[in-house]
């Protein structure tokens, strides 16, 4: 039995943060029903598509909606609204990421549907008490406002967005974690609770090293490329045939790096003697190492560094890492029978739970393909 077996979740969510929350709960055993407008979740229209000539299905949509069911409802239609409110009344959790106030106007706001033992989780750009509550927010906007872009990119360069939508997915992680944490208490006390999960606050929350640096020193953290503000060498380098990273986080590891590049005397150089020295002279140190690393292939350097216990690794493309031996060894990728596409790889829930295989009961649902849920939950 999975940890959230028997938990009923209604998801009013689109694109990334809310659907990712719902998928995490579904992966842990919850019965998640996605309530979609007649046009469907916006991400259903995102390429790439599986297309058989009669129907097409988005691979992006499939990636964050497995193990769910889907029903269609036009909440402006009184009949559809009544059915959906019955569904919510039978649920333990509601997850939504509409703009604040939208679901209230449509008749499924927190005060309108709350009942004993119920968690209502609202994910939004800025949260319900922010002066920006009415402003629209997408991941790139949140990354910019959070401070993340001020430390992402090369020194002296312009703002750079993280390639993965970390604003959306960090909020989704916080939301799922919080729902799972509060649900037992809410059920035991037979009350309802609303969770207010702002994307902006969640990104600031995972920026603990940067905020503490600012408060502790009064100095703004800066862009360092792949370098680290408190460790060196701790960054990416270019070998003769590809890029790799080195993380020599203490004096012993630094001495090993110096030995690998054939310059053991660097470990005794006054500029690089201690960790603080190396950070203060990290640009000089990086230039010296880069010249030497460019003389041989990446696999050579990684093998030599790993032989001495120095953490290091290749800079992979997604194709590289998905074909790496790590993936089958950890069981990270499974297969789902996705509509139109057929058997399709998917990255499963990445935390291994002893005695349980990752849940792969259902692929992402076809739009409105699960009307039977009204009979199952509501007896109607």
């Amino acid at each position: 039995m999975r940890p959230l077996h028997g938990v009923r979740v209604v998801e009013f969510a689109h694109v990334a943060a809310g659907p990712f929350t719902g998928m995490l709960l579904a992966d842990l055993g919850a019965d998640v029903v996605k309530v979609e407008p007649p046009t469907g979740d916006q991400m259903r229209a995102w390429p790439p598509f599986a297309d058989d000539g009669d129907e097409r299905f988005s691979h992006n949509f499939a990636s964050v909606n497995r193990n769910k069911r889907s029903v269609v409802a036009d909440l402006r239609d009184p009949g559809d609204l009544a059915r959906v409110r019955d569904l919510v009344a039978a649920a333990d959790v509601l997850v939504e990421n509409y703009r604040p106030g939208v679901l209230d106007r449509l008749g499924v706001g927190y005060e309108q549907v709350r009942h004993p033992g119920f968690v209502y989780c609202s994910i939004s750009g800025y949260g319900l008490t922010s002066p920006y509550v009415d402003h629209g927010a997408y991941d790139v906007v949140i990354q910019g406002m959070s401070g993340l872009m001020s430390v992402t990119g090369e020194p002296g360069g312009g703002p750079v967005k993280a390639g993965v939508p970390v604003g959306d997915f960090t909020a989704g992680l916080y939301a799922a974690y919080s729902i799972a944490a509060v649900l037992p208490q809410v059920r035991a006390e037979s009350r309802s609770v609303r969770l207010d999960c702002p994307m902006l606050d969640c990104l600031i929350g995972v920026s603990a090293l940067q905020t503490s640096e600012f408060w502790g020193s009064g100095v703004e953290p800066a862009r360092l490329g792949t370098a680290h503000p408190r460790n060196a060498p701790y960054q990416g380098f270019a070998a003769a045939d590809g890029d790799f990273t080195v993380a020599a986080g203490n004096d012993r590891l630094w001495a090993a790096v110096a030995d690998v590049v054939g310059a053991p005397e660097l470990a005794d150089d006054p500029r690089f003697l201690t960790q603080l020295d190396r950070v203060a002279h990290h640009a000089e140190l990086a230039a010296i190492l880069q010249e030497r690393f460019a003389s041989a292939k990446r696999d050579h350097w990684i093998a030599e560094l790993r032989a001495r216990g120095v953490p290091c690794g290749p800079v992979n493309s997604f194709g590289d890492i998905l074909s790496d031996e790590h993936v089958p060894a950890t069981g990270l990728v499974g297969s789902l029978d996705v509509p139109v596409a057929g058997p399709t790889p998917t990255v499963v829930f990445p935390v291994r739970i002893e005695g349980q295989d990752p849940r792969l009961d259902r692929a992402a649902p076809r739009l409105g393909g699960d009307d039977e849920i009204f009979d199952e939950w509501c007896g109607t």
Side-chain angles (χ1 to χ4, degrees):
M1 191 157 306
R2 299 183 188 279
L4 296 182
H5 176 79
V7 174
R8 292 174 168 179
V9 179
V10 176
E11 178 194 300
F12 292 87
H14 50 94
V15 185
F20 187 57
T21 302
M23 187 179 75
L24 293 176
L25 300 174
D27 284 347
L28 290 173
D31 187 3
V32 178
V33 177
K34 190 175 181 72
V35 178
E36 301 184 67
T39 52
D41 182 334
Q42 297 168 31
M43 195 179 271
R44 289 186 182 274
W46 287 19
F49 298 108
D51 193 330
D52 64 4
D54 297 318
E55 182 184 8
R56 69 178 191 177
F57 203 85
S58 166
H59 284 286
N60 273 184
F61 176 81
S63 71
V64 290
N65 286 286
R66 65 167 174 258
N67 293 325
K68 301 178 187 178
R69 297 190 273 184
S70 168
V71 297
V72 167
D74 180 354
L75 297 181
R76 294 178 177 82
D77 179 271
D80 281 6
L81 176 60
R83 293 181 83 206
V84 166
R85 285 173 63 104
D86 286 343
L87 201 64
V88 174
D92 304 290
V93 177
L94 185 150
V95 175
E96 62 99 0
N97 69 336
Y98 282 77
R99 278 202 193 190
V102 169
L103 290 188
D104 299 87
R105 293 193 294 273
L106 291 172
V108 285
Y110 174 59
E111 295 297 338
Q112 297 157 316
V113 299
R114 62 188 296 183
H115 56 270
F118 183 61
V119 177
Y120 190 109
C121 180
S122 295
I123 304 169
S124 62
Y126 307 104
L128 303 176
T129 61
S130 172
Y132 311 126
V133 62
D134 295 323
H135 294 190
Y138 280 89
D139 179 83
V140 66
V141 177
I142 297 302
Q143 286 196 38
M145 287 191 68
S146 70
L148 181 71
M149 285 191 188
S150 74
V151 295
T152 305
E154 294 298 326
V160 175
K161 179 180 72 67
V164 172
V166 290
D168 285 313
F169 286 90
T170 300
L173 284 165
Y174 267 111
Y177 166 74
S178 300
I179 291 166
V182 304
L183 185 58
Q185 184 181 39
V186 169
R187 283 174 149 180
E189 297 175 358
S190 194
R191 62 186 179 90
S192 63
V193 67
R194 187 172 197 178
L195 302 180
D196 177 11
C197 185
M199 292 167 61
L200 178 59
D201 297 34
C202 291
L203 260 195
I204 297 172
V206 298
S207 303
L209 299 183
Q210 287 70 34
T211 55
S212 63
E213 180 180 349
F214 175 71
W215 283 323
S217 69
V219 177
E220 291 279 8
R223 295 187 183 98
L224 296 172
T226 60
H228 193 284
R230 284 167 289 280
N231 273 319
Y234 191 106
Q235 65 184 88
F237 294 98
D241 64 340
D243 299 331
F244 68 107
T245 56
V246 176
N250 58 45
D251 293 342
R252 179 186 64 80
L253 293 173
W254 156 234
V257 172
D259 184 56
V260 165
V261 298
E265 69 278 4
L266 289 174
D268 298 319
D269 188 312
R271 295 172 298 172
F272 312 136
L273 197 58
T274 69
Q275 183 171 308
L276 290 177
D277 295 328
R278 293 190 293 277
V279 171
H281 299 92
H282 73 90
E284 299 165 68
L285 177 57
I288 293 169
L289 293 178
Q290 178 54 67
E291 183 179 1
R292 292 174 179 265
F293 284 140
S295 67
K297 292 185 176 181
R298 180 171 68 179
D299 286 350
H300 164 76
W301 296 120
I302 290 175
E304 291 296 320
L305 290 164
R306 285 178 174 171
R308 292 164 176 80
V310 179
C312 61
V315 175
N316 285 326
S317 68
F318 282 102
D320 292 333
I321 188 57
L322 291 174
S323 61
D324 190 275
E325 62 182 351
H326 168 87
V327 170
T330 61
L332 181 62
V333 172
S335 180
L336 278 173
D337 193 14
V338 172
V340 184
T344 303
T346 186
V347 175
V348 302
F349 191 79
V351 178
R352 260 66 73 182
I353 300 174
E354 185 178 5
Q356 291 184 6
D357 292 327
R359 184 182 178 190
L360 293 171
D361 297 356
R362 301 172 180 272
R366 282 184 164 88
L367 178 62
D370 301 285
D371 246 25
E372 74 279 357
I373 195 67
F374 291 101
D375 285 333
E376 290 182 27
W377 284 21
C378 312
T380 59

